[in-house]
PDB file of all heavy atoms in Angstrom:
ATOM      1  N   ILE J1054      92.804  86.426  96.128  1.00  0.00           N
ATOM      2  CA  ILE J1054      92.629  87.885  96.355  1.00  0.00           C
ATOM      3  C   ILE J1054      91.534  88.111  97.363  1.00  0.00           C
ATOM      4  O   ILE J1054      91.691  88.909  98.313  1.00  0.00           O
ATOM      5  CB  ILE J1054      92.222  88.556  95.049  1.00  0.00           C
ATOM      6  CG1 ILE J1054      93.412  88.537  94.052  1.00  0.00           C
ATOM      7  CG2 ILE J1054      91.773  90.001  95.251  1.00  0.00           C
ATOM      8  CD1 ILE J1054      93.131  88.962  92.685  1.00  0.00           C
ATOM      9  N   PHE J1055      90.444  87.333  97.283  1.00  0.00           N
ATOM     10  CA  PHE J1055      89.362  87.487  98.205  1.00  0.00           C
ATOM     11  C   PHE J1055      89.796  87.173  99.679  1.00  0.00           C
ATOM     12  O   PHE J1055      89.509  87.939 100.591  1.00  0.00           O
ATOM     13  CB  PHE J1055      88.197  86.512  97.839  1.00  0.00           C
ATOM     14  CG  PHE J1055      87.116  86.460  98.888  1.00  0.00           C
ATOM     15  CD1 PHE J1055      86.139  87.443  98.997  1.00  0.00           C
ATOM     16  CD2 PHE J1055      87.037  85.397  99.781  1.00  0.00           C
ATOM     17  CE1 PHE J1055      85.176  87.390  99.972  1.00  0.00           C
ATOM     18  CE2 PHE J1055      86.082  85.330 100.752  1.00  0.00           C
ATOM     19  CZ  PHE J1055      85.112  86.316 100.849  1.00  0.00           C
ATOM     20  N   MET J1056      90.527  86.111  99.819  1.00  0.00           N
ATOM     21  CA  MET J1056      90.998  85.710 101.138  1.00  0.00           C
ATOM     22  C   MET J1056      92.016  86.728 101.712  1.00  0.00           C
ATOM     23  O   MET J1056      91.996  87.009 102.929  1.00  0.00           O
ATOM     24  CB  MET J1056      91.670  84.316 101.154  1.00  0.00           C
ATOM     25  CG  MET J1056      90.641  83.161 100.876  1.00  0.00           C
ATOM     26  SD  MET J1056      89.315  83.143 102.094  1.00  0.00           S
ATOM     27  CE  MET J1056      90.264  82.788 103.599  1.00  0.00           C
ATOM     28  N   SER J1057      92.858  87.332 100.819  1.00  0.00           N
ATOM     29  CA  SER J1057      93.800  88.276 101.293  1.00  0.00           C
ATOM     30  C   SER J1057      93.081  89.564 101.805  1.00  0.00           C
ATOM     31  O   SER J1057      93.391  90.081 102.842  1.00  0.00           O
ATOM     32  CB  SER J1057      94.755  88.691 100.144  1.00  0.00           C
ATOM     33  OG  SER J1057      95.526  87.579  99.794  1.00  0.00           O
ATOM     34  N   VAL J1058      92.078  89.991 101.029  1.00  0.00           N
ATOM     35  CA  VAL J1058      91.304  91.175 101.424  1.00  0.00           C
ATOM     36  C   VAL J1058      90.528  90.897 102.676  1.00  0.00           C
ATOM     37  O   VAL J1058      90.471  91.696 103.622  1.00  0.00           O
ATOM     38  CB  VAL J1058      90.343  91.589 100.277  1.00  0.00           C
ATOM     39  CG1 VAL J1058      89.403  92.689 100.740  1.00  0.00           C
ATOM     40  CG2 VAL J1058      91.158  92.078  99.080  1.00  0.00           C
ATOM     41  N   PHE J1059      89.938  89.662 102.777  1.00  0.00           N
ATOM     42  CA  PHE J1059      89.164  89.297 103.934  1.00  0.00           C
ATOM     43  C   PHE J1059      90.047  89.282 105.185  1.00  0.00           C
ATOM     44  O   PHE J1059      89.716  89.792 106.240  1.00  0.00           O
ATOM     45  CB  PHE J1059      88.539  87.902 103.722  1.00  0.00           C
ATOM     46  CG  PHE J1059      87.756  87.435 104.860  1.00  0.00           C
ATOM     47  CD1 PHE J1059      86.486  87.950 105.179  1.00  0.00           C
ATOM     48  CD2 PHE J1059      88.254  86.447 105.723  1.00  0.00           C
ATOM     49  CE1 PHE J1059      85.768  87.506 106.268  1.00  0.00           C
ATOM     50  CE2 PHE J1059      87.510  85.996 106.774  1.00  0.00           C
ATOM     51  CZ  PHE J1059      86.266  86.529 107.070  1.00  0.00           C
ATOM     52  N   ALA J1060      91.241  88.673 105.044  1.00  0.00           N
ATOM     53  CA  ALA J1060      92.160  88.551 106.189  1.00  0.00           C
ATOM     54  C   ALA J1060      92.648  89.935 106.617  1.00  0.00           C
ATOM     55  O   ALA J1060      92.793  90.223 107.804  1.00  0.00           O
ATOM     56  CB  ALA J1060      93.374  87.683 105.815  1.00  0.00           C
ATOM     57  N   TYR J1061      92.888  90.834 105.642  1.00  0.00           N
ATOM     58  CA  TYR J1061      93.359  92.139 105.974  1.00  0.00           C
ATOM     59  C   TYR J1061      92.255  92.973 106.640  1.00  0.00           C
ATOM     60  O   TYR J1061      92.534  93.741 107.562  1.00  0.00           O
ATOM     61  CB  TYR J1061      93.805  92.843 104.697  1.00  0.00           C
ATOM     62  CG  TYR J1061      94.314  94.281 104.903  1.00  0.00           C
ATOM     63  CD1 TYR J1061      95.487  94.522 105.601  1.00  0.00           C
ATOM     64  CD2 TYR J1061      93.609  95.359 104.421  1.00  0.00           C
ATOM     65  CE1 TYR J1061      95.968  95.794 105.833  1.00  0.00           C
ATOM     66  CE2 TYR J1061      94.057  96.636 104.638  1.00  0.00           C
ATOM     67  CZ  TYR J1061      95.244  96.866 105.348  1.00  0.00           C
ATOM     68  OH  TYR J1061      95.695  98.128 105.557  1.00  0.00           O
ATOM     69  N   ALA J1062      91.028  92.760 106.194  1.00  0.00           N
ATOM     70  CA  ALA J1062      89.895  93.561 106.744  1.00  0.00           C
ATOM     71  C   ALA J1062      89.455  93.018 108.083  1.00  0.00           C
ATOM     72  O   ALA J1062      88.844  93.779 108.881  1.00  0.00           O
ATOM     73  CB  ALA J1062      88.713  93.527 105.781  1.00  0.00           C
ATOM     74  N   LEU J1063      89.715  91.765 108.356  1.00  0.00           N
ATOM     75  CA  LEU J1063      89.294  91.174 109.636  1.00  0.00           C
ATOM     76  C   LEU J1063      89.985  91.815 110.774  1.00  0.00           C
ATOM     77  O   LEU J1063      91.232  91.881 110.868  1.00  0.00           O
ATOM     78  CB  LEU J1063      89.613  89.686 109.602  1.00  0.00           C
ATOM     79  CG  LEU J1063      89.006  88.836 110.747  1.00  0.00           C
ATOM     80  CD1 LEU J1063      87.502  88.801 110.626  1.00  0.00           C
ATOM     81  CD2 LEU J1063      89.634  87.435 110.719  1.00  0.00           C
ATOM     82  N   PRO J1064      89.253  92.360 111.753  1.00  0.00           N
ATOM     83  CA  PRO J1064      89.914  93.000 112.918  1.00  0.00           C
ATOM     84  C   PRO J1064      90.772  92.033 113.681  1.00  0.00           C
ATOM     85  O   PRO J1064      90.431  90.887 113.872  1.00  0.00           O
ATOM     86  CB  PRO J1064      88.711  93.464 113.766  1.00  0.00           C
ATOM     87  CG  PRO J1064      87.516  93.508 112.856  1.00  0.00           C
ATOM     88  CD  PRO J1064      87.792  92.418 111.827  1.00  0.00           C
ATOM     89  N   VAL J1065      91.906  92.543 114.115  1.00  0.00           N
ATOM     90  CA  VAL J1065      92.844  91.728 114.912  1.00  0.00           C
ATOM     91  C   VAL J1065      92.680  92.163 116.353  1.00  0.00           C
ATOM     92  O   VAL J1065      92.650  93.334 116.650  1.00  0.00           O
ATOM     93  CB  VAL J1065      94.303  91.942 114.468  1.00  0.00           C
ATOM     94  CG1 VAL J1065      95.262  91.222 115.400  1.00  0.00           C
ATOM     95  CG2 VAL J1065      94.465  91.465 113.046  1.00  0.00           C
ATOM     96  N   LYS J1066      92.543  91.234 117.247  1.00  0.00           N
ATOM     97  CA  LYS J1066      92.381  91.562 118.625  1.00  0.00           C
ATOM     98  C   LYS J1066      93.673  92.246 119.148  1.00  0.00           C
ATOM     99  O   LYS J1066      94.757  91.621 119.158  1.00  0.00           O
ATOM    100  CB  LYS J1066      92.093  90.313 119.463  1.00  0.00           C
ATOM    101  CG  LYS J1066      91.856  90.603 120.931  1.00  0.00           C
ATOM    102  CD  LYS J1066      91.523  89.336 121.690  1.00  0.00           C
ATOM    103  CE  LYS J1066      91.330  89.598 123.186  1.00  0.00           C
ATOM    104  NZ  LYS J1066      91.083  88.421 123.954  1.00  0.00           N
ATOM    105  N   GLU J1067      93.571  93.477 119.613  1.00  0.00           N
ATOM    106  CA  GLU J1067      94.733  94.162 120.080  1.00  0.00           C
ATOM    107  C   GLU J1067      95.104  93.652 121.461  1.00  0.00           C
ATOM    108  O   GLU J1067      94.274  93.357 122.288  1.00  0.00           O
ATOM    109  CB  GLU J1067      94.427  95.680 120.230  1.00  0.00           C
ATOM    110  CG  GLU J1067      94.278  96.385 118.870  1.00  0.00           C
ATOM    111  CD  GLU J1067      94.125  97.857 119.046  1.00  0.00           C
ATOM    112  OE1 GLU J1067      94.150  98.335 120.211  1.00  0.00           O
ATOM    113  OE2 GLU J1067      93.938  98.587 118.045  1.00  0.00           O
ATOM    114  N   THR J1068      96.406  93.514 121.635  1.00  0.00           N
ATOM    115  CA  THR J1068      96.985  93.108 122.918  1.00  0.00           C
ATOM    116  C   THR J1068      97.543  94.355 123.614  1.00  0.00           C
ATOM    117  O   THR J1068      98.377  95.054 122.986  1.00  0.00           O
ATOM    118  CB  THR J1068      98.095  92.071 122.737  1.00  0.00           C
ATOM    119  OG1 THR J1068      97.544  90.966 122.020  1.00  0.00           O
ATOM    120  CG2 THR J1068      98.616  91.627 124.092  1.00  0.00           C
ATOM    121  N   LYS J1069      97.080  94.670 124.748  1.00  0.00           N
ATOM    122  CA  LYS J1069      97.544  95.867 125.451  1.00  0.00           C
ATOM    123  C   LYS J1069      98.750  95.535 126.308  1.00  0.00           C
ATOM    124  O   LYS J1069      98.816  94.489 126.879  1.00  0.00           O
ATOM    125  CB  LYS J1069      96.412  96.405 126.316  1.00  0.00           C
ATOM    126  CG  LYS J1069      96.773  97.803 126.925  1.00  0.00           C
ATOM    127  CD  LYS J1069      95.599  98.404 127.636  1.00  0.00           C
ATOM    128  CE  LYS J1069      95.975  99.793 128.186  1.00  0.00           C
ATOM    129  NZ  LYS J1069      94.856 100.384 128.938  1.00  0.00           N
ATOM    130  N   LEU J1070      99.682  96.453 126.359  1.00  0.00           N
ATOM    131  CA  LEU J1070     100.877  96.321 127.160  1.00  0.00           C
ATOM    132  C   LEU J1070     100.510  96.172 128.650  1.00  0.00           C
ATOM    133  O   LEU J1070      99.672  96.931 129.167  1.00  0.00           O
ATOM    134  CB  LEU J1070     101.785  97.525 126.942  1.00  0.00           C
ATOM    135  CG  LEU J1070     103.186  97.427 127.460  1.00  0.00           C
ATOM    136  CD1 LEU J1070     104.005  96.382 126.704  1.00  0.00           C
ATOM    137  CD2 LEU J1070     103.902  98.792 127.303  1.00  0.00           C
ATOM    138  N   LYS J1071     101.162  95.259 129.351  1.00  0.00           N
ATOM    139  CA  LYS J1071     100.950  95.140 130.780  1.00  0.00           C
ATOM    140  C   LYS J1071     101.681  96.239 131.532  1.00  0.00           C
ATOM    141  O   LYS J1071     102.776  96.625 131.139  1.00  0.00           O
ATOM    142  CB  LYS J1071     101.469  93.780 131.293  1.00  0.00           C
ATOM    143  CG  LYS J1071     100.695  92.562 130.698  1.00  0.00           C
ATOM    144  CD  LYS J1071     101.312  91.271 131.171  1.00  0.00           C
ATOM    145  CE  LYS J1071     100.623  90.044 130.561  1.00  0.00           C
ATOM    146  NZ  LYS J1071     101.292  88.781 130.976  1.00  0.00           N
ATOM    147  N   ALA J1072     101.073  96.728 132.609  1.00  0.00           N
ATOM    148  CA  ALA J1072     101.672  97.853 133.358  1.00  0.00           C
ATOM    149  C   ALA J1072     102.973  97.421 134.036  1.00  0.00           C
ATOM    150  O   ALA J1072     103.952  98.170 134.013  1.00  0.00           O
ATOM    151  CB  ALA J1072     100.714  98.389 134.375  1.00  0.00           C
ATOM    152  N   GLN J1073     102.968  96.236 134.633  1.00  0.00           N
ATOM    153  CA  GLN J1073     104.161  95.660 135.307  1.00  0.00           C
ATOM    154  C   GLN J1073     104.889  96.799 136.121  1.00  0.00           C
ATOM    155  O   GLN J1073     104.278  97.461 136.959  1.00  0.00           O
ATOM    156  CB  GLN J1073     105.055  95.010 134.296  1.00  0.00           C
ATOM    157  CG  GLN J1073     104.424  93.736 133.681  1.00  0.00           C
ATOM    158  CD  GLN J1073     105.240  93.078 132.592  1.00  0.00           C
ATOM    159  OE1 GLN J1073     105.433  93.628 131.562  1.00  0.00           O
ATOM    160  NE2 GLN J1073     105.689  91.857 132.896  1.00  0.00           N
ATOM    161  N   ASN J1074     106.203  96.970 135.846  1.00  0.00           N
ATOM    162  CA  ASN J1074     106.981  97.980 136.587  1.00  0.00           C
ATOM    163  C   ASN J1074     107.392  99.128 135.690  1.00  0.00           C
ATOM    164  O   ASN J1074     108.378  99.802 135.940  1.00  0.00           O
ATOM    165  CB  ASN J1074     108.190  97.363 137.229  1.00  0.00           C
ATOM    166  CG  ASN J1074     107.859  96.565 138.479  1.00  0.00           C
ATOM    167  OD1 ASN J1074     107.039  96.969 139.278  1.00  0.00           O
ATOM    168  ND2 ASN J1074     108.472  95.418 138.638  1.00  0.00           N
ATOM    169  N   TRP J1075     106.606  99.470 134.639  1.00  0.00           N
ATOM    170  CA  TRP J1075     106.887 100.645 133.848  1.00  0.00           C
ATOM    171  C   TRP J1075     106.658 101.901 134.616  1.00  0.00           C
ATOM    172  O   TRP J1075     105.752 101.994 135.432  1.00  0.00           O
ATOM    173  CB  TRP J1075     105.982 100.626 132.589  1.00  0.00           C
ATOM    174  CG  TRP J1075     106.318  99.618 131.563  1.00  0.00           C
ATOM    175  CD1 TRP J1075     105.574  98.498 131.259  1.00  0.00           C
ATOM    176  CD2 TRP J1075     107.446  99.617 130.676  1.00  0.00           C
ATOM    177  NE1 TRP J1075     106.165  97.819 130.251  1.00  0.00           N
ATOM    178  CE2 TRP J1075     107.304  98.448 129.863  1.00  0.00           C
ATOM    179  CE3 TRP J1075     108.513 100.439 130.468  1.00  0.00           C
ATOM    180  CZ2 TRP J1075     108.248  98.113 128.866  1.00  0.00           C
ATOM    181  CZ3 TRP J1075     109.433 100.140 129.486  1.00  0.00           C
ATOM    182  CH2 TRP J1075     109.309  98.983 128.706  1.00  0.00           C
ATOM    183  N   ALA J1076     107.531 102.902 134.355  1.00  0.00           N
ATOM    184  CA  ALA J1076     107.225 104.247 134.867  1.00  0.00           C
ATOM    185  C   ALA J1076     105.920 104.666 134.229  1.00  0.00           C
ATOM    186  O   ALA J1076     105.696 104.444 133.020  1.00  0.00           O
ATOM    187  CB  ALA J1076     108.340 105.217 134.504  1.00  0.00           C
ATOM    188  N   PRO J1077     104.997 105.296 134.998  1.00  0.00           N
ATOM    189  CA  PRO J1077     103.629 105.574 134.460  1.00  0.00           C
ATOM    190  C   PRO J1077     103.594 106.374 133.141  1.00  0.00           C
ATOM    191  O   PRO J1077     102.889 106.013 132.222  1.00  0.00           O
ATOM    192  CB  PRO J1077     102.969 106.401 135.589  1.00  0.00           C
ATOM    193  CG  PRO J1077     103.658 105.898 136.843  1.00  0.00           C
ATOM    194  CD  PRO J1077     105.076 105.585 136.418  1.00  0.00           C
ATOM    195  N   ASP J1078     104.409 107.478 133.070  1.00  0.00           N
ATOM    196  CA  ASP J1078     104.431 108.227 131.770  1.00  0.00           C
ATOM    197  C   ASP J1078     104.985 107.400 130.611  1.00  0.00           C
ATOM    198  O   ASP J1078     104.468 107.470 129.500  1.00  0.00           O
ATOM    199  CB  ASP J1078     105.291 109.490 131.969  1.00  0.00           C
ATOM    200  CG  ASP J1078     104.514 110.634 132.483  1.00  0.00           C
ATOM    201  OD1 ASP J1078     103.405 110.453 132.947  1.00  0.00           O
ATOM    202  OD2 ASP J1078     105.006 111.823 132.460  1.00  0.00           O
ATOM    203  N   THR J1079     105.974 106.598 130.917  1.00  0.00           N
ATOM    204  CA  THR J1079     106.598 105.777 129.885  1.00  0.00           C
ATOM    205  C   THR J1079     105.605 104.724 129.406  1.00  0.00           C
ATOM    206  O   THR J1079     105.442 104.493 128.182  1.00  0.00           O
ATOM    207  CB  THR J1079     107.861 105.131 130.389  1.00  0.00           C
ATOM    208  OG1 THR J1079     108.789 106.152 130.873  1.00  0.00           O
ATOM    209  CG2 THR J1079     108.564 104.269 129.306  1.00  0.00           C
TER     210      THR J1079
END
């Protein structure tokens, strides 16, 4: 239980979408 709560509470490093050839608004 402790490890589950700890793992859930631990911040996950967000990965941001690459701009590449996306339309800017999209």
Side-chain angles (χ1 to χ4, degrees):
I1054 293 171
F1055 172 78
M1056 290 304 296
S1057 297
V1058 172
F1059 179 75
Y1061 179 68
L1063 189 68
V1065 175
K1066 184 180 178 182
E1067 288 185 4
T1068 304
K1069 188 174 181 181
L1070 192 67
K1071 296 177 183 177
Q1073 293 176 293
N1074 284 318
W1075 288 108
D1078 271 13
T1079 303

